[in-house]
Amino acid sequence: MPVSTIYAYTSQRQIPHYKVGKGLLFSDSKIDAWLETKAIDPLDFVPMKDE
């Protein structure tokens, strides 16, 4: 993900983060949980069979 996208997400409060001074900190567990909410499961996924 481009750094500019991460900055945009933090300024729009879309991604969990902590602001310390002028820096940004991210919690691994909170980012993992946030990513899980963004996951898209493929519909009608059928794995290919080996021939």
Side-chain angles (χ1 to χ4, degrees):
M1 180 177 294
V3 173
S4 60
T5 302
I6 295 171
Y7 281 122
Y9 282 178
T10 57
S11 68
Q12 298 167 7
R13 299 182 183 265
Q14 292 183 3
I15 189 170
H17 67 283
Y18 300 97
K19 188 167 183 182
V20 179
K22 292 184 179 181
L24 297 174
L25 299 176
F26 301 91
S27 164
D28 289 343
S29 60
K30 287 188 179 186
I31 294 297
D32 288 343
W34 177 76
L35 286 171
E36 284 296 321
T37 67
K38 304 297 180 194
I40 298 172
D41 292 327
L43 300 176
D44 300 324
F45 175 75
V46 179
M48 295 176 58
K49 293 182 181 178
D50 293 333
E51 294 185 61

